[in-house]
Amino acid sequence: MALKLGPCHHQLISNPHLSFRTKTPALTVKAAVKKSPKRLKYSSPSFTKDVDELLYVEVDPSGNDAWKLEPVVQLLNKGAVGVIPTDTVYAIVCDLKCNSAIDRLRRIKNIQASKPLSTLCRSFQDIDTYTTGFPRGGGQGLSNIFRAVKQCLPGPYTFILTASKSLPKSCTRYGTTTSKLLSRKNVGVRIPDDAVCQAILEKMSAPLLSTSVRSPKENEWIIDPVVIADVYGPEGLDFVVDAGVRMAEPSTVVDMTASYPRIIRQGKGPKQHWMVADEDPEDETEIA
């Protein structure tokens, strides 16, 4: 029986270079510290994906064999939900414009619609399209915050900006815990500095919606793609792109919607002199 990916999926594709693994029962792991399990060899002559199979693509972290990613891009365009690497931790992603895929992503991760998701962008042009942009001034002695932000991207930062009308409503979250922002629709945007991630984004017609990969039973990042496939494959994941084991470091989240750039989660990206650390950070753990 062919896999049904929802309204965005129209047909199956074939490619002789793909690898599959059959879904297995979920493992109980402490992914951030557990040693990587033995990597299995997967082979299949063509892409005839069944419900109980997971597309597993191993690529070089340098992106030198990015041709292997073409089937992943085709799947994403048809409404698939899968895992790709970023410059921080692995992320579960889907097409930003496919509502059925967004619903499946939230169901696979078991997260509510009120939880924030970040948008993986190809360039600043995407950010300008789907948000109202970066503020042109700041309270930290900067005449143009955008110039400072350009020094951080691509990189391990998530910037929270006000969403534009171009961003689908299913992608936005409503404000923060501050009552003044409850009616404002915000979104976290990223431009990851990762060759494999960028290779996928460049082939897409729109950004990808993403959420970080964490253990569903333990409050830890899952940093090994083999473990991710074992844990989330049975939940309905369609593919995993394996670019090696990552470090358990999420992005630094900076809220740009207030009067000054406010760090609400300190992560891999170092604090810049124009950022102010929040004394009472919010829970932004779903953002990669």
Side-chain angles (χ1 to χ4, degrees):
M1 183 171 71
L3 174 65
K4 294 183 180 179
L5 296 176
C8 303
H9 177 264
H10 303 294
Q11 61 182 358
L12 294 178
I13 56 176
S14 61
N15 189 305
H17 303 290
L18 300 186
S19 299
F20 294 86
R21 71 177 295 170
T22 301
K23 292 181 181 179
T24 56
L27 302 178
T28 301
V29 296
K30 289 191 175 180
V33 296
K34 183 169 176 130
K35 202 171 182 181
S36 177
K38 182 179 179 181
R39 296 178 178 272
L40 305 178
K41 299 295 183 181
Y42 315 109
S43 62
S44 180
S46 62
F47 185 12
T48 55
K49 191 170 187 285
D50 293 328
V51 172
D52 294 329
E53 290 184 332
L54 174 74
L55 175 63
Y56 195 94
V57 182
E58 294 183 79
V59 295
D60 192 295
S62 68
N64 290 335
D65 51 0
W67 59 269
K68 295 180 180 179
L69 300 171
E70 186 61 35
V72 170
V73 173
Q74 293 185 48
L75 276 176
L76 283 168
N77 283 326
K78 299 176 191 303
V81 178
V83 169
I84 68 172
T86 72
D87 54 351
T88 55
V89 295
Y90 275 89
I92 303 176
V93 300
C94 70
D95 186 345
L96 175 145
K97 294 184 176 181
C98 186
N99 289 334
S100 63
I102 295 173
D103 290 341
R104 290 185 60 231
L105 181 150
R106 289 188 179 278
R107 186 167 61 251
I108 289 171
K109 183 71 180 294
N110 192 27
I111 52 179
Q112 299 176 350
S114 60
K115 280 287 187 179
L117 300 174
S118 61
T119 302
L120 303 184
C121 299
R122 300 162 293 185
S123 64
F124 281 98
Q125 183 176 351
D126 279 343
I127 295 178
D128 289 339
T129 298
Y130 294 100
T131 75
T132 58
F134 290 94
R136 295 298 171 179
Q140 304 302 310
L142 293 176
S143 60
N144 193 333
I145 290 291
F146 178 67
R147 294 180 182 178
V149 169
K150 287 183 69 175
Q151 305 301 314
C152 297
L153 297 177
Y157 293 88
T158 298
F159 291 102
I160 297 178
L161 298 171
T162 302
S164 71
K165 293 182 179 179
S166 298
L167 190 73
K169 293 182 179 179
S170 55
C171 301
T172 58
R173 71 183 183 93
Y174 287 87
T176 64
T177 54
T178 304
S179 59
K180 293 181 180 179
L181 299 178
L182 287 178
S183 62
R184 180 181 295 173
K185 296 179 180 180
N186 299 331
V187 63
V189 294
R190 293 205 58 201
I191 304 180
D193 187 18
D194 180 88
V196 176
C197 183
Q198 280 292 337
I200 294 172
L201 290 171
E202 288 171 2
K203 295 177 182 295
M204 297 295 298
S205 60
L208 294 174
L209 203 63
S210 75
T211 177
S212 60
V213 182
R214 299 176 72 91
S215 170
K217 295 183 179 179
E218 301 173 19
N219 189 30
E220 294 177 334
W221 307 104
I222 305 183
I223 58 176
D224 191 315
V226 171
V227 178
I228 293 172
D230 287 335
V231 172
Y232 281 101
E235 301 301 320
L237 206 63
D238 300 313
F239 67 84
V240 171
V241 176
D242 180 347
V245 177
R246 302 275 130 156
M247 297 294 292
E249 288 185 283
S251 64
T252 293
V253 181
V254 184
D255 188 352
M256 305 292 286
T257 64
S259 58
Y260 54 86
R262 181 169 60 98
I263 296 178
I264 57 178
R265 184 184 70 190
Q266 181 64 60
K268 184 177 180 180
K271 178 183 178 297
Q272 303 296 319
H273 68 90
W274 47 272
M275 299 175 182
V276 176
D278 195 340
E279 295 180 357
D280 185 22
E282 298 176 32
D283 182 12
E284 298 287 342
T285 55
E286 298 300 335
I287 298 177

